[in-house]
Amino acid sequence: MNPYHIKSKIFYPFIVLLLIFVFSACNKSGDKKDGNKIGEMLGIKELPQATTDSLYIKEYISKKPAFKAYDDLMYLFYGERDYSLAWFRDNELIPEAQKFLTTLDDASKEGLDPKKYKLVDFKTLFKKYEDMSGQDSARLELQQQIDVGLTASYFNYASDFYRGRVNPGEVGSIDWNVKKNKIKLHKALQTILKERESTYPYYEFEALHKGYIDLRETLQKYRDLQEKGGWAKVELGKAKVLEKGDTAAAVIQLRKRLNPGGVINVNDPKMRLFDDALLAQVKEFQRLHGLAEDGKVGGNTLRMMNVPIEDRIQQIMMNMERWRWIPKRLVPKSLDQKYIWVNIPEFKLYMYEDPDNDPEAEREYKKTFEMKVIVGKELNSTPIFSDKMEFIVLAPYWNVPNSIVEKEIKPAMLRNPNYLEGADMEIVTKEKDPKPISASSIDWASVTEKNFPYMVRQRPGPTNSLGNIKFLFPNSYNVYLHDTPADALFNQTERGFSHGCVRLEKPIELGEYLLKDMPEWNAQRIRQTIEDGEETWITLPKKLQVYLVYFTSWVDEDGKVHFRDDIYGHDKKLAKEYFG
């Protein structure tokens, strides 16, 4: 940097501030117009733009308790710019300032409360600044006040908008161990101020994920519908079920429910008939709510139809919040540029891939296939987390967790000493080269999860609980993806049957897909290895990102909004934090 520039940067504002002090001390009359004499003395029409410092920032934040949580960000942001102002250029507020205030006005569109972020009356401050003379020394202090206020307000809003209002890492009741969204808010602000480039849409104060944006649009539609009265409640009266061919007043209620905001001629006899068109609508409703598509209205279908619109709006907002917790980059550059997405309440697995496998690109990953899954029952719920898949195991042993040994194997052995052999299981030592242990040598009555020193495992084969293949992403939960011999369970609409692991509808297809870049492991060799029945481990050439997430509302590729039951009660817990 030019030495003259350094000196002028340091000393010229110092001279100006010194003159301000002199005039303040000498001005006994209290005439505010005397502040303009500084500019006149220096022979300039406008004073140079102000700077700020850490003491000013500290004092400002101390008067605004809501901003104290962001003091580290404030010092980091201003420190990296030598405490020069951010929202002014040549003494003029940059357009991004007004754009940001408009963003705060519209915070409700994001499911956020604008009052939480509009803590400074910028409209009055802006007007006051515009009315001041460029030679007025008080303008310098007002510049600092506006600039620091805008930055603090940005961090207050952006923290909630990009990271979430609720921090799942700090709230023990919320189960969410997906890797954190590590967005650097001070860098995002630099992008907004056009001081650095970014592939993310910070310029537009925009969200980072399409899933969030789609839900936000749905939120607005549901709020508009709410203002018009929401939707009609369906009451069947004495009838337990409505189905095709029925004629009743309840059919009109059903039409109103499935066509909210539409006009229905209640005097038209045809409107009382449950016809083919209405049947198609009912089945579509059932599809979007994860129900059996039998076209009949009763039971769970009726229950889902009568969920109030207010509850659905809250559900949308909570799932928008979950999107804020998702990392801005779904797949790290060091990994294979594809990922597995298991949505637990949906009982589905999706495979997404970057067709170009380009770790430097920032684009939407394309869905390559999907399948049904079985997840943990409520008492053995599948945990919510992310990790990296490293291994595929063909013809696997099932190493039975000690918790299952105590709760299930122990009672079975006390009833029938030959249970293990009948289930094709064995007991071995916990060694690299396991040695067999006789089941009769164990005092089963005293076995507990913590004191059992051996391993119960089920041999590879057609009855193995893991089926023919498993996919490992080592984690503290001991949860993984695997095959299952119980294929009939995939015909159920609600598939919470496992002990926590995720069972796959099409495991062999997934294995072939993940090994497609390893020619030595073609489909024929995979199937032959399984038939041979000898456990075989395959290390993936690149680790693969896996997400096990919990979304009870989302928008599909066709723009249709889906809702699911809160099978583990996570929505209920989040609602207490988000709306409480």
Side-chain angles (χ1 to χ4, degrees):
M1 184 181 287
N2 188 315
Y4 174 78
H5 176 71
I6 296 175
K7 291 179 180 179
S8 62
K9 183 177 180 180
I10 296 173
F11 292 111
Y12 193 63
F14 173 74
I15 294 170
V16 173
L17 291 172
L18 181 61
L19 287 171
I20 292 172
F21 173 76
V22 171
F23 271 94
S24 302
C26 297
N27 180 18
K28 296 180 181 178
S29 65
D31 188 353
K32 294 181 180 179
K33 293 182 180 179
D34 283 350
N36 295 340
K37 293 181 180 179
I38 297 173
E40 294 172 9
M41 282 190 64
L42 294 174
I44 56 176
K45 294 182 179 180
E46 187 172 52
L47 294 174
Q49 187 167 294
T51 59
T52 189
D53 55 52
S54 59
L55 290 177
Y56 183 89
I57 293 170
K58 182 178 182 180
E59 183 181 357
Y60 184 91
I61 292 175
S62 68
K63 298 175 182 177
K64 301 281 186 182
F67 293 156
K68 287 183 179 180
Y70 313 105
D71 56 354
D72 287 347
L73 280 169
M74 294 288 287
Y75 297 135
L76 181 61
F77 174 73
Y78 279 105
E80 286 187 357
R81 62 192 303 111
D82 288 337
Y83 290 92
S84 62
L85 301 189
W87 301 84
F88 286 87
R89 299 287 185 276
D90 299 324
N91 289 309
E92 294 291 334
L93 274 164
I94 59 176
E96 284 73 21
Q98 190 56 56
K99 192 172 184 179
F100 171 56
L101 298 190
T102 301
T103 298
L104 296 188
D105 289 338
D106 294 337
S108 60
K109 293 180 180 178
E110 313 293 341
L112 301 172
D113 183 1
K115 294 177 182 177
K116 183 179 184 296
Y117 313 107
K118 298 170 71 173
L119 304 179
V120 179
D121 185 1
F122 287 111
K123 184 177 180 180
T124 299
L125 293 178
F126 287 4
K127 180 66 168 61
K128 183 178 178 181
Y129 184 78
E130 290 173 2
D131 292 343
M132 277 186 171
S133 165
Q135 296 176 322
D136 193 337
S137 59
R139 206 168 182 237
L140 300 178
E141 198 283 332
L142 186 56
Q143 279 184 348
Q144 284 192 78
Q145 184 182 352
I146 291 173
D147 203 273
V148 173
L150 283 169
T151 301
S153 296
Y154 171 78
F155 288 138
N156 186 31
Y157 170 77
S159 179
D160 286 1
F161 177 63
Y162 286 121
R163 294 174 174 172
R165 277 192 58 203
V166 179
N167 184 341
E170 296 178 356
V171 182
S173 63
I174 295 179
D175 179 12
W176 187 276
N177 290 304
V178 175
K179 64 178 183 174
K180 295 179 181 178
N181 180 359
K182 295 181 179 179
I183 180 173
K184 296 179 179 178
L185 295 178
H186 68 295
K187 295 295 185 185
L189 180 52
Q190 290 173 6
T191 305
I192 285 170
L193 299 171
K194 300 184 178 178
E195 296 175 349
R196 69 186 287 269
E197 295 295 325
S198 176
T199 54
Y200 298 101
Y202 301 130
Y203 290 128
E204 305 301 325
F205 297 93
E206 187 52 282
L208 304 178
H209 296 292
K210 186 177 184 300
Y212 175 97
I213 295 169
D214 290 342
L215 280 176
R216 180 177 62 193
E217 293 174 357
T218 302
L219 176 64
Q220 189 58 49
K221 292 176 184 177
Y222 272 57
R223 281 175 168 169
D224 291 343
L225 185 58
Q226 182 187 32
E227 289 183 2
K228 296 175 183 177
W231 49 59
K233 185 176 182 180
V234 181
E235 296 178 314
L236 301 186
K238 295 181 180 180
K240 293 183 178 180
V241 176
L242 272 183
E243 56 188 312
K244 182 184 173 184
D246 284 348
T247 56
V251 175
I252 293 179
Q253 294 178 11
L254 179 60
R255 289 186 183 278
K256 289 181 178 180
R257 170 61 185 90
L258 296 176
N259 301 277
V263 178
I264 294 176
N265 183 359
V266 297
N267 296 318
D268 184 351
K270 293 179 181 179
M271 294 296 100
R272 298 171 62 92
L273 173 64
F274 196 136
D275 56 17
D276 286 331
L278 189 56
L279 176 66
Q281 280 193 297
V282 170
K283 287 186 175 182
E284 174 68 353
F285 178 91
Q286 290 171 329
R287 182 183 74 84
L288 296 176
H289 292 75
L291 304 168
E293 296 173 42
D294 60 6
K296 298 179 181 179
V297 179
N300 282 334
T301 298
L302 183 64
R303 175 178 61 83
M304 287 289 227
M305 283 186 177
N306 286 335
V307 172
I309 192 169
E310 293 78 14
D311 290 3
R312 291 307 189 200
I313 286 173
Q314 286 200 351
Q315 191 172 352
I316 291 169
M317 292 168 67
M318 285 188 289
N319 285 281
M320 289 170 65
E321 174 75 354
R322 289 187 175 112
W323 271 114
R324 298 183 186 113
W325 300 341
I326 297 290
K328 62 182 178 181
R329 187 181 182 96
L330 286 165
V331 182
K333 293 180 181 181
S334 61
L335 302 187
D336 197 353
Q337 294 303 297
K338 58 175 72 81
Y339 67 93
I340 288 173
W341 183 271
V342 177
N343 187 19
I344 297 167
E346 187 186 3
F347 310 108
K348 291 287 284 289
L349 175 149
Y350 298 90
M351 187 79 221
Y352 291 92
E353 182 176 8
D354 173 8
D356 299 325
N357 198 28
D358 181 3
E360 299 300 326
E362 290 296 341
R363 60 169 68 92
E364 288 291 328
Y365 288 76
K366 302 297 182 183
K367 183 175 73 175
T368 54
F369 63 84
E370 63 187 71
M371 69 179 73
K372 297 176 182 178
V373 300
I374 291 169
V375 300
K377 50 190 128 178
E378 187 173 358
L379 292 177
N380 300 103
S381 59
T382 298
I384 301 165
F385 71 105
S386 61
D387 219 306
K388 302 171 185 65
M389 185 183 295
E390 300 181 45
F391 310 103
I392 295 177
V393 184
L394 305 179
Y397 281 98
W398 176 38
N399 300 320
V400 183
N402 274 12
S403 59
I404 297 178
V405 170
E406 180 184 358
K407 294 176 183 176
E408 299 181 25
I409 302 294
K410 171 183 172 179
M413 286 299 291
L414 291 174
R415 289 193 304 269
N416 175 15
N418 296 318
Y419 171 79
L420 286 179
E421 195 57 39
D424 202 18
M425 291 182 176
E426 62 184 4
I427 304 173
V428 296
T429 57
K430 294 181 178 179
E431 299 173 338
K432 188 174 183 180
D433 185 18
K435 296 178 178 59
I437 300 294
S438 171
S440 61
S441 68
I442 295 172
D443 178 12
W444 287 102
S446 63
V447 166
T448 68
E449 177 181 351
K450 294 182 179 180
N451 73 10
F452 190 68
Y454 307 117
M455 179 187 297
V456 176
R457 66 181 186 179
Q458 189 175 34
R459 301 178 185 94
T463 61
N464 185 285
S465 295
L466 302 185
N468 295 314
I469 186 171
K470 68 178 179 180
F471 305 82
L472 298 181
F473 35 104
N475 57 82
S476 59
Y477 304 103
N478 196 27
V479 163
Y480 42 88
L481 312 179
H482 66 86
D483 186 12
T484 176
D487 292 337
L489 294 177
F490 289 107
N491 295 325
Q492 303 293 320
T493 53
E494 294 185 7
R495 296 184 291 275
F497 302 114
S498 82
H499 287 91
C501 286
V502 178
R503 305 177 192 173
L504 307 176
E505 178 190 24
K506 304 172 185 176
I508 302 300
E509 287 87 337
L510 178 61
E512 291 175 352
Y513 177 83
L514 296 181
L515 295 173
K516 66 182 180 179
D517 295 328
M518 299 178 70
E520 68 273 25
W521 282 105
N522 55 33
Q524 181 180 353
R525 186 182 177 192
I526 291 171
R527 294 175 189 274
Q528 185 60 53
T529 302
I530 290 171
E531 287 180 17
D532 291 344
E534 184 174 345
E535 185 177 77
T536 304
W537 286 55
I538 305 169
T539 301
L540 293 174
K542 270 192 172 183
K543 294 179 182 180
L544 176 74
Q545 186 68 55
V546 179
Y547 289 97
L548 273 63
V549 295
Y550 195 92
F551 284 87
T552 58
S553 181
W554 68 93
V555 178
D556 65 22
E557 296 164 318
D558 298 321
K560 302 284 188 178
V561 61
H562 291 246
F563 294 100
R564 292 296 187 273
D565 277 330
D566 181 21
I567 59 173
Y568 295 158
H570 293 323
D571 275 6
K572 187 176 181 180
K573 292 173 183 175
L574 178 55
K576 289 181 180 179
E577 300 295 330
Y578 195 89
F579 301 107

